[in-house]
């Protein structure tokens, strides 16, 4: 949907509303990439302080113990991936004083928190009798891991070497050596690879109903979901909150979803299930907008067009094990092979947890359980091999409060950098000489929760050069519609009453920095 600058201007021009480390029998510091050449103060306590030269005689020097592995930059444990498996492993390892380093991921394989970041209600995770949203559950797990001392980095790992020791892990921003590794990289949503899929990706086709379902593009429209498992049925049910009707396209003669999910779908009058049906391509109208899906019956070969405004994928996942190909044993589908009843892989010191090694159950609770097993296995491995250096918990500081509540007329202050709501946006649009960054979010959007702290850090770097406004598209739908928001998260930049750039989805920090630097 094309959006003209006058449309945005018209919406924003409306009158504002009135209103101490020790060895056990023996029982994890990241090194930045060489080019970074910056020291990490948080790791300073790991290196023994060097005494003054004139205070040490030769005998004392000879008696001094050798530096530990950690003082040379070798970690106890690196966890690659997040989600229930990675965060649970981090919680257990941190509570054991291993000081794990966790690479949560960023774009490869999905956002930090894994598949649950694109899940609505989780009703079968123990301890939540009324259910909990996937993003909320992942937020709680992440905070728990942080509380116990896990070191978290929202970065993609680009290179892993587990053939040499210590193991080498390199991310987008740093390189780390470690005595042990837990692989918890999960799995990635599959695509249909339709001929016009790329053309309509995020413009009618999506793999995340809770990210994009609340978009004005889909409200009150007829939508379709592809798939027959729990993911597809859950997305179909969720979309009925916004769509006038949902079609569920199933290739087989029956659903593969759990009995409870099947009953919900089949008994929902706003969902029509099409068995033995596959999507062939996307159909568009004269304006270049998605208008339907070309379908084919599996049993008869008959083709037809189903008029819909959006297509959502719920067709399964591929294990994210590419980094380990040729280094550890994988099965024919790419899942990491582990010893039965354990997290051990074919390489000593390398362990796997979660969906990257589970092609059968793939549940949040089983992923969490495997993360626990992996962390306990790491602790045993490090102790047995006399490799472990223990870290005691530091005194924790209270976290800084990020964005205040929604701006109102009496509380708005243009000298503040961060704001929320359409009143603030309209005031800034007309009165701010700065570059304005607008973040559009929705309450159930997992990637939005990932992007907000990233943008907060970037905004803090340009505190007096930028104004930041968060817009909840459910609270302020007219602003989102005027801005042409078709999915969340979405970032738009304004300057001098002109919209100058749109970023859809989650991007790397450097992309936002570079744009602000060139336009501030």
């Amino acid at each position: 949907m094309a959006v003209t600058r006058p449309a945005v201007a018209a919406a924003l021009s409306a009158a504002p509303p009135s209103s101490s480390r020790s060895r056990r029998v023996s029982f994890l510091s990241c090194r930045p990439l060489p080019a970074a050449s910056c020291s990490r103060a948080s790791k300073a306590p790991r290196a023994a302080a060097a005494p003054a030269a004139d205070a040490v005689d030769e005998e004392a020097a000879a008696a001094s113990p050798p530096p530990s592995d950690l003082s040379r930059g070798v970690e106890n444990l690196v966890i690659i991936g997040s989600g229930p498996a990675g965060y649970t492993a981090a919680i257990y390892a941190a509570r054991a004083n291993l000081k794990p380093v966790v690479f949560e991921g960023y774009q490869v394989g999905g956002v930090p928190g894994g598949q649950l970041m694109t899940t609505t209600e989780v009703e079968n995770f123990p301890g939540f009798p009324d259910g909990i949203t996937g993003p909320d559950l992942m937020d709680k797990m992440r905070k728990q891991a942080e509380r116990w001392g896990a070191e978290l980095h929202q970065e993609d790992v680009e290179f892993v070497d587990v053939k040499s020791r210590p193991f080498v892990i390199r991310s987008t921003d740093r390189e780390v050596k470690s005595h042990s590794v837990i692989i918890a990289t999960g799995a990635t949503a599959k695509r249909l690879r339709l001929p016009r899929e790329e053309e309509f990706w995020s413009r009618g086709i999506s793999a995340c109903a809770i990210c994009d379902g609340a978009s004005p593009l889909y409200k009150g429209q007829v939508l379709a979901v592809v798939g027959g498992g729990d993911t597809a049925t859950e997305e179909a049910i969720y979309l009925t909150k916004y769509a006038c009707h949902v079609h569920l396209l199933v290739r087989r003669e029956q659903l593969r979803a759990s009995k409870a999910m099947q009953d919900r779908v089949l008994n929902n009058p706003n969902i029509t299930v099409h068995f033995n049906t596959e999507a062939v391509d996307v159909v568009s109208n004269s304006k270049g907008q998605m208008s339907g899906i070309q379908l084919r019956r599996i049993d008869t070969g008959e083709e037809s067009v189903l008029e819909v405004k959006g297509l959502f994928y719920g067709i399964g996942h591929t294990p994210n094990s590419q980094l380990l190909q040729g280094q550890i044993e994988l099965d024919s589908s790419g899942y990491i092979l582990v010893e039965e009843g354990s997290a051990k892989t074919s390489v000593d010191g390398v362990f796997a947890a979660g969906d990257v090694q589970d092609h059968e159950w793939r549940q949040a609770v089983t992923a969490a359980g495997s993360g626990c097993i992996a962390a306990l296995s790491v602790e045993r491995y490090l102790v047995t091999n006399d490799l472990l250096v223990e870290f005691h918990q530091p005194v924790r500081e209270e976290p800084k409060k990020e964005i205040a509540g929604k701006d109102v007329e009496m509380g708005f202050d243009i000298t503040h950098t961060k704001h929320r709501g359409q009143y603030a946006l309209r005031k800034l649009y007309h009165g701010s000489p700065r570059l304005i960054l607008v973040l559009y979010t929705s309450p159930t959007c997992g990637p939005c929760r990932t992007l907000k702290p990233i943008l907060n850090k970037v905004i803090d770097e340009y505190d007096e050069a930028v104004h930041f406004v968060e817009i909840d598209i459910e609270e302020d739908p007219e602003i989102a519609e005027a801005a042409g928001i078709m999915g969340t998260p979405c970032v738009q930049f304004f300057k001098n009453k002109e919209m100058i750039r749109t970023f859809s989805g989650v991007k790397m920090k450097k992309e936002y920095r570079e744009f602000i630097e060139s336009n501030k």
Side-chain angles (χ1 to χ4, degrees), residues 323-335:
L323 286 170
L324 284 305
Q325 286 181 354
Q327 300 191 70
I328 64 175
E329 291 185 12
L330 310 175
D331 70 8
S332 59
S333 298
Y335 288 92

Side-chain angles (χ1 to χ4, degrees), residues 10 17 19 94-95 205 211 217-218 222 232 247 276 289 323 330 350 357 370 373 386 392 394 444 465 473 492-493:
S19 41
R95 277 178 53 81
I205 303 179
C211 301
L217 178 68
Y218 302 121
V222 178
H247 294 274
N276 294 309
Q289 301 167 331
L323 286 170
L330 310 175
V350 179
Q357 54 85 51
S370 67
I373 292 171
D386 196 24
H392 297 288
T444 56
I473 68 170
Q492 289 183 337
F493 285 94

Side-chain angles (χ1 to χ4, degrees), residues 242-280:
Y242 304 103
C244 66
H245 198 81
V246 177
H247 294 274
L248 182 60
L249 311 179
V250 185
R251 285 179 53 87
R252 302 186 182 187
E253 295 181 350
Q254 59 186 11
L255 293 168
R256 295 180 293 105
S258 64
K259 188 64 169 61
M261 295 303 291
Q262 289 189 42
D263 289 343
R264 291 185 186 182
V265 166
L266 296 174
N267 293 324
N268 193 316
N270 292 323
I271 299 176
T272 299
V273 182
H274 303 258
F275 293 105
N276 294 309
T277 302
E278 65 177 352
V280 178

Side-chain angles (χ1 to χ4, degrees), residues 123-182:
E123 299 175 323
N124 55 4
F125 199 91
F128 300 95
D130 298 321
I132 184 172
T133 69
D136 283 343
L137 180 59
M138 289 302 92
D139 277 351
K140 291 178 181 293
M141 286 190 176
R142 188 181 195 275
K143 289 175 181 177
Q144 191 172 356
E146 277 190 308
R147 175 197 172 195
W148 289 104
E151 183 177 317
L152 308 178
H153 299 286
Q154 290 185 342
E155 301 165 9
D156 287 328
V157 170
E158 299 179 334
F159 172 82
V160 177
D161 180 5
V162 297
K163 291 184 176 180
S164 59
R165 294 179 187 271
F167 306 133
V168 177
I169 302 92
R170 186 180 304 139
S171 76
T172 48
D173 291 348
R174 70 198 75 234
E175 181 179 287
V176 187
K177 291 184 178 180
S178 179
H179 290 306
S180 62
V181 176
I182 293 176

Side-chain angles (χ1 to χ4, degrees), residues 490-508:
C490 182
V491 171
Q492 289 183 337
F493 285 94
F494 293 84
K495 193 166 186 179
N496 298 325
K497 298 185 179 181
E498 290 285 340
M499 185 174 68
I500 56 178
R501 182 68 185 273
T502 297
F503 290 90
S504 297
V506 180
K507 307 300 181 186
M508 302 295 285

